Amino acid sequence: MRDQVQRVLDTLRQPRGLYVASPSNTYHYIWIRDISYIALSELHRDNGRFEETYYGLLDILRKYEWKLTYHATKRPVETYEYIHPRYTADTLEEVNQPWGNAQNDAIGAFLFGIGEGLRRGKKMLRDERDRKMIQLLVQYLTTLEYWMDEDNGMWEENRERHASSIGACAAGLLAIQPYFDVPWEPIQAGLSALFQLLPRESATKECDLALLSLVYPYELVPRAMREVIINRVEERLLRQSGVIRYEGDLYYQEDGKEAEWCMGLPWLGLCHATIGNMDKAQSYLTRTVQVMAHGAKIPELYVMHRRQPNENTPLGWSHALWLVLFDTISSGKTAHIFH
C-alpha cells in the first residue's frame, strides 16, 4: 500500500522538486504550505528529494527578493503585500486574484523545514543568496510582529489572530535559530501570544483542525496541551470519513453538514504517535485506507450526504501525512517524531 500511495503523490511532483496541491483545475497550483508538509514525507530519506523541494521554494523567494527586502523593514498592510503563499505551476508567478493571501503559517512551515533539514545535516542552502532569503524571512516575521498579526490562517479565510499561525512562526524561528541570526524576543513574544490563545484557535473558533499542527509537526506544546488538543478535535470534529475543519465550516457544506477532510485522519494518527499512543496511530492509518478513492488516492474531503470525494482528489498533503504515519509506525518510534 505504501508504494501505491507514494506513486500517486509522485504524479503531483513538478520540475524543481515542487508539487501541485492536486491535479484538479482549482488546486493545480504551488502552495508554500502544502509543499512544506509534503516535503516532510522525504525528511528521513537520503535521496536528495527533500533538499530539491526546498531549492525550488527558495528559487521562488529569489524571484521575489525585492518584495522580501522591502517588507523586511516595512510592515505589510494590505493582503497583497504579504509574502504570497500560492504560485502558478508553470511560471511560478504569484496568482493574481483576490485571495486570503496573508498566511503567516506558510512562512513558519517553510522555515521549520529548513531548520529540520539542517539539523539532520542536509545541504539546505546552496549559496549565500539562499542564506540571505532565510534571514530576510526572519526580519519579515519580526517586522510583521506575527504574534499580533491578524492573518487569513491555514484555511485562507477571515483575518484574525490564529494560534496555528503564531505557533508555526514560532516553531519555524526556533528550528532555524541554531543556524541563523534569530533574536529571542520574537520567539518569546510568539510563545507568549500562543499560550494566551490556547486551547482556542482564534476568537471565532474554539476548536479547529489546524491546531493539530502544534502537536505534529511542530511539537511546540507540552504533553498535557497536546492531549487537550487531540481530545477536543476527536470529540468535536472527528466524523466518519475525516475531520471537519471547524464547526460551521461552509466550504463544501451540504444540508448543514460540514465537509469531512480526509487528511485529518492520518494527522490525528501522527499526533497520537507523538505521545506514544501507537495503537491509536495504527487505527488512524487503517481508517485512512478505508476512505481512499480508487487507485489509493486520498481525497481532500468527502461531502457528507453524498459520501463522495470532491474534485481535489488526490490531495498531496493527505498523501504525505499518511506516508509519514506509515513510516513512523513501521520504524517503531513511539514519540518525539522530530525532537
Side-chain angles (χ1 to χ4, degrees):
M1 177 58 73
R2 191 201 187 285
D3 289 344
Q4 290 177 272
V5 175
Q6 182 70 62
R7 281 196 294 271
V8 174
L9 179 59
D10 287 347
T11 65
L12 306 180
R13 191 173 175 89
Q14 306 292 299
R16 307 187 192 185
L18 300 173
Y19 295 80
V20 292
S22 177
S24 70
N25 290 332
T26 51
Y27 275 17
H28 200 262
Y29 295 106
I30 303 296
W31 262 280
I32 291 177
R33 176 196 305 100
D34 287 54
I35 291 176
S36 295
Y37 274 87
I38 290 171
L40 294 176
S41 64
E42 301 286 353
L43 179 60
H44 296 286
R45 299 177 178 275
D46 295 321
N47 54 15
R49 290 180 63 158
F50 184 82
E51 298 96 314
E52 185 185 10
T53 294
Y54 272 88
Y55 297 158
L57 290 174
L58 282 163
D59 285 340
I60 293 176
L61 292 178
R62 287 184 181 212
K63 191 171 187 175
Y64 290 95
E65 182 178 350
W66 63 269
K67 187 174 184 177
L68 261 175
T69 301
Y70 183 81
H71 287 296
T73 57
K74 296 177 179 62
R75 191 182 191 281
V77 178
E78 302 297 333
T79 302
Y80 69 85
E81 295 180 295
Y82 281 70
I83 303 305
H84 211 291
R86 187 173 63 132
Y87 300 83
T88 59
D90 49 356
T91 65
L92 303 182
E93 298 283 344
E94 291 182 354
V95 179
N96 185 23
Q97 68 182 78
W99 200 268
N101 289 330
Q103 299 173 33
N104 299 339
D105 73 291
I107 303 302
F110 172 82
L111 293 178
F112 180 81
I114 291 286
E116 286 299 316
L118 289 171
R119 192 166 69 84
R120 283 167 174 74
K122 295 181 182 292
K123 188 178 184 297
M124 301 302 296
L125 307 174
R126 295 162 294 183
D127 52 32
E128 282 304 310
R129 192 174 177 198
D130 279 351
R131 175 169 289 276
K132 179 183 178 182
M133 296 304 103
I134 305 302
Q135 198 64 57
L136 283 172
L137 286 177
V138 173
Q139 294 173 249
Y140 169 77
L141 290 179
T142 302
T143 298
L144 182 63
E145 296 183 317
Y146 73 89
W147 54 91
M148 299 194 313
D149 190 53
E150 295 183 347
D151 78 332
N152 295 111
M154 187 176 288
W155 311 131
E156 307 175 331
E157 295 184 333
N158 58 303
R159 289 187 67 165
E160 56 183 338
R161 291 171 70 237
H162 293 90
S164 58
S165 292
I166 294 171
C169 294
L173 292 174
L174 277 168
I176 65 168
Q177 191 178 43
Y179 315 101
F180 294 87
D181 180 16
V182 183
W184 174 246
E185 289 76 13
I187 297 175
Q188 186 177 38
L191 293 174
S192 177
L194 172 64
F195 283 96
Q196 288 174 22
L197 275 172
L198 289 175
R200 300 183 67 94
E201 163 68 353
S202 65
T204 65
K205 296 181 180 66
E206 187 175 347
C207 188
D208 193 303
L209 174 61
L211 286 167
L212 294 185
S213 63
L214 305 178
V215 183
Y216 172 89
Y218 304 132
E219 299 189 20
L220 194 60
V221 294
R223 182 187 176 101
M225 181 57 71
R226 294 184 199 187
E227 292 177 344
V228 168
I229 291 171
I230 293 169
N231 290 340
R232 283 160 63 95
V233 169
E234 289 180 325
E235 290 170 3
R236 299 181 59 168
L237 307 182
L238 180 61
R239 301 292 188 268
Q240 179 181 340
S241 299
V243 181
I244 67 172
R245 296 190 299 182
Y246 53 86
E247 293 163 329
D249 184 8
L250 297 176
Y251 182 70
Y252 277 92
Q253 185 183 117
E254 192 171 274
D255 297 330
K257 296 292 185 180
E258 301 92 343
E260 302 174 9
W261 286 61
C262 300
M263 71 180 184
L265 300 176
W267 208 343
L268 276 169
L270 285 163
C271 290
H272 276 288
T274 70
I275 56 176
N277 294 341
M278 301 311 291
D279 289 342
K280 289 286 287 186
Q282 177 64 57
S283 72
Y284 280 114
L285 185 75
T286 302
R287 194 165 169 177
T288 311
V289 174
Q290 295 168 351
V291 301
M292 288 182 182
H294 179 71
K297 295 177 181 178
I298 308 176
E300 177 184 46
L301 57 84
Y302 277 84
V303 180
M304 176 60 184
H305 283 299
R306 287 182 283 138
R307 311 307 318 168
Q308 291 180 345
N310 72 344
E311 75 274 13
N312 302 322
T313 303
L315 186 74
W317 192 346
S318 302
H319 280 254
L321 291 174
W322 190 90
L323 288 167
V324 177
L325 179 57
F326 181 94
D327 291 344
T328 299
I329 293 171
S330 299
S331 70
K333 295 179 181 178
T334 57
H336 301 296
I337 294 174
F338 286 104
H339 303 292

